[in-house]
PDB file of all heavy atoms in Angstrom:
ATOM      1  N   LEU B 271      42.556  16.495 -10.280  1.00  0.00           N
ATOM      2  CA  LEU B 271      43.366  17.044 -11.370  1.00  0.00           C
ATOM      3  C   LEU B 271      44.142  18.270 -10.901  1.00  0.00           C
ATOM      4  O   LEU B 271      45.336  18.405 -11.176  1.00  0.00           O
ATOM      5  CB  LEU B 271      42.470  17.393 -12.556  1.00  0.00           C
ATOM      6  CG  LEU B 271      41.733  16.185 -13.160  1.00  0.00           C
ATOM      7  CD1 LEU B 271      40.743  16.622 -14.222  1.00  0.00           C
ATOM      8  CD2 LEU B 271      42.742  15.185 -13.743  1.00  0.00           C
ATOM      9  N   GLU B 272      43.457  19.131 -10.169  1.00  0.00           N
ATOM     10  CA  GLU B 272      44.131  20.340  -9.685  1.00  0.00           C
ATOM     11  C   GLU B 272      45.343  19.990  -8.835  1.00  0.00           C
ATOM     12  O   GLU B 272      46.387  20.623  -8.910  1.00  0.00           O
ATOM     13  CB  GLU B 272      43.173  21.177  -8.837  1.00  0.00           C
ATOM     14  CG  GLU B 272      42.092  21.870  -9.644  1.00  0.00           C
ATOM     15  CD  GLU B 272      41.063  22.542  -8.736  1.00  0.00           C
ATOM     16  OE1 GLU B 272      41.319  22.618  -7.513  1.00  0.00           O
ATOM     17  OE2 GLU B 272      40.014  22.964  -9.239  1.00  0.00           O
ATOM     18  N   ARG B 273      45.165  18.986  -8.000  1.00  0.00           N
ATOM     19  CA  ARG B 273      46.251  18.634  -7.089  1.00  0.00           C
ATOM     20  C   ARG B 273      47.281  17.722  -7.766  1.00  0.00           C
ATOM     21  O   ARG B 273      48.228  17.279  -7.137  1.00  0.00           O
ATOM     22  CB  ARG B 273      45.671  17.931  -5.854  1.00  0.00           C
ATOM     23  CG  ARG B 273      44.800  18.841  -5.024  1.00  0.00           C
ATOM     24  CD  ARG B 273      44.200  18.118  -3.827  1.00  0.00           C
ATOM     25  NE  ARG B 273      43.204  18.972  -3.180  1.00  0.00           N
ATOM     26  CZ  ARG B 273      42.410  18.573  -2.189  1.00  0.00           C
ATOM     27  NH1 ARG B 273      42.510  17.330  -1.731  1.00  0.00           N
ATOM     28  NH2 ARG B 273      41.534  19.399  -1.663  1.00  0.00           N
ATOM     29  N   LYS B 274      47.002  17.405  -9.006  1.00  0.00           N
ATOM     30  CA  LYS B 274      47.916  16.533  -9.768  1.00  0.00           C
ATOM     31  C   LYS B 274      48.289  15.289  -8.963  1.00  0.00           C
ATOM     32  O   LYS B 274      49.472  14.941  -8.836  1.00  0.00           O
ATOM     33  CB  LYS B 274      49.182  17.307 -10.161  1.00  0.00           C
ATOM     34  CG  LYS B 274      48.914  18.584 -10.959  1.00  0.00           C
ATOM     35  CD  LYS B 274      50.211  19.125 -11.526  1.00  0.00           C
ATOM     36  CE  LYS B 274      50.143  20.614 -11.856  1.00  0.00           C
ATOM     37  NZ  LYS B 274      48.915  21.036 -12.550  1.00  0.00           N
ATOM     38  N   LEU B 275      47.305  14.672  -8.421  1.00  0.00           N
ATOM     39  CA  LEU B 275      47.569  13.492  -7.599  1.00  0.00           C
ATOM     40  C   LEU B 275      48.229  12.403  -8.421  1.00  0.00           C
ATOM     41  O   LEU B 275      47.856  12.155  -9.564  1.00  0.00           O
ATOM     42  CB  LEU B 275      46.260  12.974  -6.983  1.00  0.00           C
ATOM     43  CG  LEU B 275      45.690  13.827  -5.863  1.00  0.00           C
ATOM     44  CD1 LEU B 275      44.608  13.064  -5.121  1.00  0.00           C
ATOM     45  CD2 LEU B 275      46.785  14.241  -4.887  1.00  0.00           C
ATOM     46  N   ASP B 276      49.183  11.775  -7.800  1.00  0.00           N
ATOM     47  CA  ASP B 276      49.938  10.726  -8.468  1.00  0.00           C
ATOM     48  C   ASP B 276      49.238   9.380  -8.257  1.00  0.00           C
ATOM     49  O   ASP B 276      49.600   8.596  -7.393  1.00  0.00           O
ATOM     50  CB  ASP B 276      51.355  10.702  -7.872  1.00  0.00           C
ATOM     51  CG  ASP B 276      52.154   9.534  -8.402  1.00  0.00           C
ATOM     52  OD1 ASP B 276      51.955   9.179  -9.581  1.00  0.00           O
ATOM     53  OD2 ASP B 276      52.945   8.974  -7.618  1.00  0.00           O
ATOM     54  N   ALA B 277      48.200   9.141  -9.053  1.00  0.00           N
ATOM     55  CA  ALA B 277      47.461   7.885  -8.904  1.00  0.00           C
ATOM     56  C   ALA B 277      46.867   7.493 -10.247  1.00  0.00           C
ATOM     57  O   ALA B 277      46.588   8.354 -11.089  1.00  0.00           O
ATOM     58  CB  ALA B 277      46.349   8.051  -7.871  1.00  0.00           C
ATOM     59  N   THR B 278      46.703   6.194 -10.426  1.00  0.00           N
ATOM     60  CA  THR B 278      46.137   5.730 -11.695  1.00  0.00           C
ATOM     61  C   THR B 278      44.679   5.323 -11.533  1.00  0.00           C
ATOM     62  O   THR B 278      43.998   5.031 -12.500  1.00  0.00           O
ATOM     63  CB  THR B 278      46.919   4.512 -12.222  1.00  0.00           C
ATOM     64  OG1 THR B 278      46.831   3.459 -11.243  1.00  0.00           O
ATOM     65  CG2 THR B 278      48.382   4.878 -12.446  1.00  0.00           C
ATOM     66  N   ALA B 279      44.221   5.279 -10.289  1.00  0.00           N
ATOM     67  CA  ALA B 279      42.829   4.891 -10.047  1.00  0.00           C
ATOM     68  C   ALA B 279      42.294   5.631  -8.825  1.00  0.00           C
ATOM     69  O   ALA B 279      43.052   5.999  -7.934  1.00  0.00           O
ATOM     70  CB  ALA B 279      42.730   3.387  -9.826  1.00  0.00           C
ATOM     71  N   VAL B 280      40.980   5.861  -8.832  1.00  0.00           N
ATOM     72  CA  VAL B 280      40.328   6.482  -7.683  1.00  0.00           C
ATOM     73  C   VAL B 280      39.190   5.591  -7.220  1.00  0.00           C
ATOM     74  O   VAL B 280      38.379   5.146  -8.035  1.00  0.00           O
ATOM     75  CB  VAL B 280      39.710   7.853  -8.036  1.00  0.00           C
ATOM     76  CG1 VAL B 280      39.302   8.587  -6.769  1.00  0.00           C
ATOM     77  CG2 VAL B 280      40.682   8.691  -8.849  1.00  0.00           C
ATOM     78  N   VAL B 281      39.168   5.325  -5.935  1.00  0.00           N
ATOM     79  CA  VAL B 281      38.023   4.620  -5.368  1.00  0.00           C
ATOM     80  C   VAL B 281      37.109   5.682  -4.774  1.00  0.00           C
ATOM     81  O   VAL B 281      37.570   6.558  -4.035  1.00  0.00           O
ATOM     82  CB  VAL B 281      38.453   3.632  -4.267  1.00  0.00           C
ATOM     83  CG1 VAL B 281      37.228   3.002  -3.604  1.00  0.00           C
ATOM     84  CG2 VAL B 281      39.360   2.558  -4.844  1.00  0.00           C
ATOM     85  N   GLY B 282      35.847   5.612  -5.114  1.00  0.00           N
ATOM     86  CA  GLY B 282      34.901   6.594  -4.589  1.00  0.00           C
ATOM     87  C   GLY B 282      34.250   6.086  -3.318  1.00  0.00           C
ATOM     88  O   GLY B 282      34.109   4.873  -3.133  1.00  0.00           O
ATOM     89  N   PHE B 283      33.840   7.017  -2.474  1.00  0.00           N
ATOM     90  CA  PHE B 283      33.219   6.675  -1.201  1.00  0.00           C
ATOM     91  C   PHE B 283      32.074   5.695  -1.372  1.00  0.00           C
ATOM     92  O   PHE B 283      31.941   4.733  -0.637  1.00  0.00           O
ATOM     93  CB  PHE B 283      32.705   7.946  -0.527  1.00  0.00           C
ATOM     94  CG  PHE B 283      32.008   7.687   0.763  1.00  0.00           C
ATOM     95  CD1 PHE B 283      32.742   7.473   1.918  1.00  0.00           C
ATOM     96  CD2 PHE B 283      30.624   7.642   0.837  1.00  0.00           C
ATOM     97  CE1 PHE B 283      32.102   7.224   3.121  1.00  0.00           C
ATOM     98  CE2 PHE B 283      29.983   7.396   2.029  1.00  0.00           C
ATOM     99  CZ  PHE B 283      30.713   7.182   3.178  1.00  0.00           C
ATOM    100  N   ASN B 284      31.233   5.959  -2.360  1.00  0.00           N
ATOM    101  CA  ASN B 284      30.169   5.010  -2.694  1.00  0.00           C
ATOM    102  C   ASN B 284      29.878   5.130  -4.185  1.00  0.00           C
ATOM    103  O   ASN B 284      30.550   5.886  -4.888  1.00  0.00           O
ATOM    104  CB  ASN B 284      28.927   5.251  -1.830  1.00  0.00           C
ATOM    105  CG  ASN B 284      28.312   6.624  -2.052  1.00  0.00           C
ATOM    106  OD1 ASN B 284      28.689   7.348  -2.974  1.00  0.00           O
ATOM    107  ND2 ASN B 284      27.367   6.993  -1.214  1.00  0.00           N
ATOM    108  N   ASP B 285      28.915   4.396  -4.667  1.00  0.00           N
ATOM    109  CA  ASP B 285      28.667   4.396  -6.107  1.00  0.00           C
ATOM    110  C   ASP B 285      28.258   5.761  -6.633  1.00  0.00           C
ATOM    111  O   ASP B 285      28.698   6.196  -7.686  1.00  0.00           O
ATOM    112  CB  ASP B 285      27.575   3.369  -6.454  1.00  0.00           C
ATOM    113  CG  ASP B 285      28.102   1.946  -6.430  1.00  0.00           C
ATOM    114  OD1 ASP B 285      29.333   1.776  -6.319  1.00  0.00           O
ATOM    115  OD2 ASP B 285      27.288   1.011  -6.529  1.00  0.00           O
ATOM    116  N   GLU B 286      27.396   6.423  -5.876  1.00  0.00           N
ATOM    117  CA  GLU B 286      26.931   7.721  -6.353  1.00  0.00           C
ATOM    118  C   GLU B 286      28.092   8.695  -6.476  1.00  0.00           C
ATOM    119  O   GLU B 286      28.193   9.439  -7.443  1.00  0.00           O
ATOM    120  CB  GLU B 286      25.904   8.277  -5.371  1.00  0.00           C
ATOM    121  CG  GLU B 286      24.503   8.286  -5.926  1.00  0.00           C
ATOM    122  CD  GLU B 286      23.544   8.988  -4.995  1.00  0.00           C
ATOM    123  OE1 GLU B 286      23.169   8.349  -3.994  1.00  0.00           O
ATOM    124  OE2 GLU B 286      23.196  10.146  -5.256  1.00  0.00           O
ATOM    125  N   PHE B 287      28.932   8.694  -5.485  1.00  0.00           N
ATOM    126  CA  PHE B 287      30.120   9.540  -5.514  1.00  0.00           C
ATOM    127  C   PHE B 287      30.979   9.175  -6.722  1.00  0.00           C
ATOM    128  O   PHE B 287      31.492  10.041  -7.433  1.00  0.00           O
ATOM    129  CB  PHE B 287      30.903   9.335  -4.216  1.00  0.00           C
ATOM    130  CG  PHE B 287      32.001  10.333  -3.977  1.00  0.00           C
ATOM    131  CD1 PHE B 287      31.781  11.450  -3.174  1.00  0.00           C
ATOM    132  CD2 PHE B 287      33.258  10.145  -4.540  1.00  0.00           C
ATOM    133  CE1 PHE B 287      32.805  12.359  -2.935  1.00  0.00           C
ATOM    134  CE2 PHE B 287      34.279  11.056  -4.313  1.00  0.00           C
ATOM    135  CZ  PHE B 287      34.054  12.164  -3.511  1.00  0.00           C
ATOM    136  N   SER B 288      31.093   7.885  -6.976  1.00  0.00           N
ATOM    137  CA  SER B 288      31.941   7.417  -8.071  1.00  0.00           C
ATOM    138  C   SER B 288      31.360   7.786  -9.430  1.00  0.00           C
ATOM    139  O   SER B 288      32.093   8.094 -10.365  1.00  0.00           O
ATOM    140  CB  SER B 288      32.122   5.903  -7.977  1.00  0.00           C
ATOM    141  OG  SER B 288      32.629   5.562  -6.697  1.00  0.00           O
ATOM    142  N   LEU B 289      30.032   7.751  -9.527  1.00  0.00           N
ATOM    143  CA  LEU B 289      29.413   8.193 -10.778  1.00  0.00           C
ATOM    144  C   LEU B 289      29.738   9.664 -10.982  1.00  0.00           C
ATOM    145  O   LEU B 289      29.977  10.116 -12.106  1.00  0.00           O
ATOM    146  CB  LEU B 289      27.893   7.979 -10.726  1.00  0.00           C
ATOM    147  CG  LEU B 289      27.430   6.514 -10.624  1.00  0.00           C
ATOM    148  CD1 LEU B 289      25.905   6.436 -10.582  1.00  0.00           C
ATOM    149  CD2 LEU B 289      27.958   5.695 -11.794  1.00  0.00           C
ATOM    150  N   GLY B 290      29.756  10.401  -9.893  1.00  0.00           N
ATOM    151  CA  GLY B 290      30.146  11.812  -9.963  1.00  0.00           C
ATOM    152  C   GLY B 290      31.588  11.962 -10.410  1.00  0.00           C
ATOM    153  O   GLY B 290      31.905  12.833 -11.229  1.00  0.00           O
ATOM    154  N   LEU B 291      32.448  11.098  -9.907  1.00  0.00           N
ATOM    155  CA  LEU B 291      33.860  11.124 -10.319  1.00  0.00           C
ATOM    156  C   LEU B 291      33.963  10.951 -11.836  1.00  0.00           C
ATOM    157  O   LEU B 291      34.644  11.720 -12.527  1.00  0.00           O
ATOM    158  CB  LEU B 291      34.632   9.992  -9.635  1.00  0.00           C
ATOM    159  CG  LEU B 291      35.086  10.200  -8.185  1.00  0.00           C
ATOM    160  CD1 LEU B 291      35.603   8.885  -7.595  1.00  0.00           C
ATOM    161  CD2 LEU B 291      36.172  11.267  -8.102  1.00  0.00           C
ATOM    162  N   ILE B 292      33.280   9.951 -12.325  1.00  0.00           N
ATOM    163  CA  ILE B 292      33.330   9.681 -13.771  1.00  0.00           C
ATOM    164  C   ILE B 292      32.886  10.908 -14.545  1.00  0.00           C
ATOM    165  O   ILE B 292      33.571  11.383 -15.451  1.00  0.00           O
ATOM    166  CB  ILE B 292      32.432   8.469 -14.131  1.00  0.00           C
ATOM    167  CG1 ILE B 292      33.036   7.180 -13.553  1.00  0.00           C
ATOM    168  CG2 ILE B 292      32.273   8.358 -15.638  1.00  0.00           C
ATOM    169  CD1 ILE B 292      32.204   5.932 -13.819  1.00  0.00           C
ATOM    170  N   ARG B 293      31.748  11.452 -14.121  1.00  0.00           N
ATOM    171  CA  ARG B 293      31.247  12.631 -14.823  1.00  0.00           C
ATOM    172  C   ARG B 293      32.236  13.794 -14.723  1.00  0.00           C
ATOM    173  O   ARG B 293      32.500  14.489 -15.699  1.00  0.00           O
ATOM    174  CB  ARG B 293      29.887  13.045 -14.260  1.00  0.00           C
ATOM    175  CG  ARG B 293      29.393  14.412 -14.745  1.00  0.00           C
ATOM    176  CD  ARG B 293      29.075  14.420 -16.224  1.00  0.00           C
ATOM    177  NE  ARG B 293      27.876  13.656 -16.444  1.00  0.00           N
ATOM    178  CZ  ARG B 293      26.650  14.143 -16.309  1.00  0.00           C
ATOM    179  NH1 ARG B 293      26.464  15.392 -15.977  1.00  0.00           N
ATOM    180  NH2 ARG B 293      25.612  13.369 -16.494  1.00  0.00           N
TER     181      ARG B 293
END
Side-chain angles (χ1 to χ4, degrees):
Chain B
L271 298 173
E272 288 173 10
R273 294 178 189 173
K274 304 191 202 316
L275 287 194
D276 173 34
T278 60
V280 192
V281 175
F283 178 80
N284 62 10
D285 284 351
E286 250 187 283
F287 192 96
S288 305
L289 296 180
L291 280 170
I292 291 178
R293 169 67 71 84

